[in-house]
Amino acid sequence: MTFKALIASVSFLLLAGCATNNQFVVAEYEKIVEEKFPPISVYYQTPPDELRQFCNVYKEKSALHDCFTNIIDLENFYDEFNDSKLFENVYYAEKDVDFKVLISTANYYHSSGADLGRAAIAGATLLLAPLTNPQDIKVEAAITWKDHVIQRYQYDIPFTAKASLFSTNRNPESDMAKSIASYLMKSFQESEVFTPEFLSKEIESSNYSDELTLPEFVGEYQFSEDIIFHNPLNGVVNRYTHQEFLFDYVDVFVYPVRHWDLNNGKALIEREIGIIKNEIDLLLQESNSSKAEFDEPEFYSVNSTEGKVSFAALSGDYLTEEKQRYKTVIYLYQEEDKFIKFRSTFEADAALGRQIKTFVDEVAGKIQVPEESLFMAQIRQSWRENALEPL
């Protein structure tokens, strides 16, 4: 048996299930977080040309060199991300998840004369004598959102696999994945790659943090918080809370019109009202509440300093699982390429409907929305090219 074949065969034993006591680095990252990362799906990435070329060049340098790509089972990476509890959910090669983590690796090592001696002894004693296999792992990883690459990461990580029949710890593949995943999670936290702000910058969608203008006070209500959704099609929700009665609130949603024809305002609003009703029913179904009973939507206009604002108003009642009756009211209008939606939900006997309408009428025309983003312009162009007819 040649030297390289001997080393390769023992290295295979190291990677194929012998009990191990490996030496590797685990990067430090925050393990307890207030807000989890969004769901991810973990995939193998076909080794990039540069990584394959590196392996080929490295192996050609010497008979003592070897390099293998993607030898770490993907399930090991899934386990590490899932066990971290940093994500809302982790999926194994699930295509319908917005964020994907793509990973490719190259394990490379240089065997020396000392390695030959250790390998020969280990082979002769059937691994009664311990064997060490120092190596390095090149890692190429990418984060995609709906198949748009938004960030890439590269690492060169040292790893020493050890094996003997007397050691009792984890196998090398699992420990390799543990080390690599720790570097990735540290980078995720440092680069803030999963934040809506990072995503909006990378795909050039609307920047609601800097470009949306809202009044701080509306009557007895005060702006209290906002949530920017990861999916740019969902925009942002801004909550206004009554200064005295904290259970009394109005949520103001700002999000893109999901259609290419922005000029037929009433048809767009009627279409969106139907979508809103379906969304509410899905939410109620998930909470085991009854299906909402909606009144017919009403259309009206309000004169503001910026001109006439045309609204649609919708209200409905439903019963919770505990048989409590609630009322939800929705107001909707279009501003440039965005919808502005007001929603408040309260106990049916609270009679807050008139108060919510006063809030809406006062805000009308005072919200300045971001202009159409490049991201939405491109999406609408695609919709336009595939549409048979306008609204």
Side-chain angles (χ1 to χ4, degrees), residues 211-221 223 238 240 252 254 302-311 333-336 340 342 357-370:
E211 298 173 4
L212 175 65
T213 302
L214 296 161
E216 183 177 357
F217 294 93
V218 181
E220 296 179 320
Y221 292 83
F223 174 82
N238 309 271
Y240 284 81
V252 182
V254 181
V302 172
N303 292 319
S304 73
T305 56
E306 302 299 323
K308 184 177 289 187
V309 180
S310 297
F311 278 93
Y333 76 93
Q334 181 185 347
E335 181 73 23
E336 298 183 17
I340 298 177
F342 304 83
K357 184 179 185 304
T358 300
F359 175 101
V360 172
D361 291 349
E362 185 172 338
V363 172
K366 296 180 181 178
I367 297 176
Q368 296 180 13
V369 301

Side-chain angles (χ1 to χ4, degrees), residues 88-351:
E88 292 177 10
N89 217 329
V90 179
Y91 298 91
Y92 185 95
E94 174 56 57
K95 66 179 182 179
D96 293 328
V97 179
D98 287 350
F99 285 100
K100 296 181 176 65
V101 180
L102 313 180
I103 303 172
S104 56
T105 60
N107 292 58
Y108 65 101
Y109 56 86
H110 166 233
S111 303
S112 65
D115 295 325
L116 174 60
R118 286 192 292 270
I121 294 171
T125 62
L126 298 178
L127 288 179
L128 289 173
L131 176 68
T132 61
N133 181 23
Q135 57 193 281
D136 289 279
I137 310 172
K138 276 193 176 294
V139 181
E140 297 274 352
I143 305 296
T144 66
W145 178 82
K146 291 187 177 295
D147 299 326
H148 296 270
V149 177
I150 60 173
Q151 183 68 302
R152 297 185 186 275
Y153 302 102
Q154 295 179 327
Y155 311 100
D156 217 318
I157 301 173
F159 188 91
T160 299
K162 291 188 174 183
S164 79
L165 294 181
F166 296 111
S167 55
T168 58
N169 293 335
R170 297 159 58 106
N171 66 66
E173 277 193 51
S174 178
D175 285 340
M176 289 175 188
K178 185 178 187 66
S179 180
I180 293 167
S182 73
Y183 277 85
L184 283 166
M185 288 186 282
K186 177 179 174 66
S187 294
F188 295 163
Q189 290 180 343
E190 291 178 344
S191 62
E192 299 183 332
V193 65
F194 291 113
T195 62
E197 292 81 6
F198 186 99
L199 180 61
S200 69
K201 180 179 178 181
E202 292 302 313
I203 67 174
E204 298 186 74
S205 61
S206 292
N207 182 348
Y208 293 100
S209 296
D210 297 333
E211 298 173 4
L212 175 65
T213 302
L214 296 161
E216 183 177 357
F217 294 93
V218 181
E220 296 179 320
Y221 292 83
Q222 181 177 6
F223 174 82
S224 56
E225 63 177 333
D226 65 352
I227 298 174
I228 301 175
F229 296 104
H230 284 96
N231 189 335
L233 294 177
N234 294 333
V236 60
V237 57
N238 309 271
R239 174 156 291 191
Y240 284 81
T241 305
H242 196 282
Q243 296 179 68
E244 185 175 356
F245 306 107
L246 299 183
F247 59 86
D248 181 3
Y249 67 90
V250 182
D251 286 334
V252 182
F253 298 79
V254 181
Y255 56 96
V257 175
R258 287 165 281 194
H259 199 275
W260 61 269
D261 184 1
L262 300 176
N263 297 317
N264 194 342
K266 186 174 181 181
L268 285 171
I269 288 177
E270 288 176 339
R271 176 177 179 269
E272 189 66 16
I273 285 292
I275 293 172
I276 290 169
K277 289 167 69 174
N278 289 334
E279 289 175 345
I280 291 174
D281 281 337
L282 285 174
L283 289 172
L284 293 176
Q285 183 178 348
E286 290 176 1
S287 64
N288 295 320
S289 298
S290 70
K291 189 174 182 179
E293 298 177 2
F294 289 104
D295 298 330
E296 284 297 315
E298 297 180 5
F299 296 86
Y300 72 99
S301 297
V302 172
N303 292 319
S304 73
T305 56
E306 302 299 323
K308 184 177 289 187
V309 180
S310 297
F311 278 93
L314 179 70
S315 65
D317 291 70
Y318 64 89
L319 284 174
T320 66
E321 189 176 12
E322 294 77 21
K323 304 304 180 185
Q324 292 180 296
R325 181 165 294 279
Y326 276 79
K327 188 177 187 68
T328 186
V329 294
I330 297 100
Y331 292 84
L332 180 74
Y333 76 93
Q334 181 185 347
E335 181 73 23
E336 298 183 17
D337 83 312
K338 305 290 191 298
F339 278 129
I340 298 177
K341 178 179 72 177
F342 304 83
R343 183 181 176 191
S344 182
T345 300
F346 45 86
E347 293 184 5
D349 58 4

Side-chain angles (χ1 to χ4, degrees), residues 41-45 70-81 90-94 101-104 173 177:
S41 182
V42 185
Y43 275 85
Y44 269 139
Q45 177 179 232
N70 284 2
I71 64 172
I72 306 169
D73 194 306
L74 185 64
E75 190 170 345
N76 289 302
F77 291 113
Y78 166 85
D79 288 341
E80 291 301 325
F81 289 128
V90 179
Y91 298 91
Y92 185 95
E94 174 56 57
V101 180
L102 313 180
I103 303 172
S104 56
E173 277 193 51

